[in-house]
Amino acid sequence: MFELNEKYKDCPVSVNEYLINGKKYIVHSHFVGDKDIDTVIQNIAFNKAMNEILEKIQAYDTIIIHRHQNPDPDAIGSQVGLRDLLRAHFPQKRVLATGYDEPTLTWLAEMDTVSDEDYAGALVIVCDTANTPRIDDKRYTNGDFLIKIDHHP
């Protein structure tokens, strides 16, 4: 913190006090240029979420990736792309993609064989799925921890 105060000591400063749950917090804000606060907050939240996901990925030996029913290329691409990325970066882990093999899209990728036993102690990641009724392979709740990565609201 000292380095930051030194670095920005010549910038305009505002000091605000906040009382949260009976504890007083003093925030020193240094103006360092025009920044969009929404972008700053979004970047902080995104980085925090990515770090939490990475911690979970690092903690599990088995990772099973799901996507939505009636898959389109977007669903298969995000699911299998994530699987292959994780396999490349974590070769010691067992990373599987599950769901129905859509015959018209098997040229993109084919799903792995995933047994019920594979879910014991596994991290489950659901990609490209807006809501739970659309998740392909209802065993997604059988894992130890569940993460949803999606661009849908």
Side-chain angles (χ1 to χ4, degrees):
M1 194 54 101
F2 178 76
E3 294 94 22
L4 290 176
N5 284 333
E6 279 299 304
K7 182 176 179 180
Y8 298 114
K9 68 182 178 188
D10 296 326
C11 296
V13 177
S14 69
V15 178
N16 294 295
E17 293 184 13
Y18 301 95
L19 190 61
I20 302 173
N21 294 329
K23 189 169 181 177
K24 183 175 161 181
Y25 295 88
I26 300 173
V27 178
H28 295 256
S29 301
H30 297 266
F31 180 77
V32 295
D34 289 327
K35 294 185 180 180
D36 176 38
I37 191 66
D38 291 333
T39 302
V40 171
I41 292 170
Q42 184 179 16
N43 288 340
I44 291 169
F46 178 81
N47 290 335
K48 185 176 186 324
M50 289 296 106
N51 286 333
E52 290 175 8
I53 290 170
L54 182 58
E55 286 174 10
K56 288 297 182 184
I57 288 169
Q58 291 170 333
Y60 285 88
D61 293 327
T62 301
I63 302 166
I64 303 171
I65 306 169
H66 290 249
R67 40 96 178 129
H68 63 74
Q69 300 169 350
N70 303 315
D72 51 14
D74 178 45
I76 292 175
S78 60
Q79 178 190 32
V80 175
L82 179 59
R83 178 195 67 187
D84 293 351
L85 180 72
L86 292 177
R87 284 179 176 175
H89 287 277
F90 301 96
Q92 74 283 9
K93 296 185 181 293
R94 190 157 180 251
V95 184
L96 306 167
T98 188
Y100 171 70
D101 266 322
E102 170 56 49
T104 62
L105 296 175
T106 54
W107 61 273
L108 284 172
E110 293 185 18
M111 298 297 104
D112 300 304
T113 301
V114 180
S115 70
D116 291 343
E117 292 76 29
D118 290 326
Y119 285 88
L123 171 64
V124 176
I125 300 175
V126 177
C127 294
D128 193 49
T129 308
N131 52 53
T132 53
R134 293 204 65 219
I135 299 173
D136 193 355
D137 192 334
K138 297 304 176 195
R139 298 177 295 173
Y140 70 92
T141 60
N142 295 351
D144 186 57
F145 194 87
L146 176 65
I147 294 173
K148 177 185 175 183
I149 302 174
D150 188 34
H151 62 97
H152 297 99

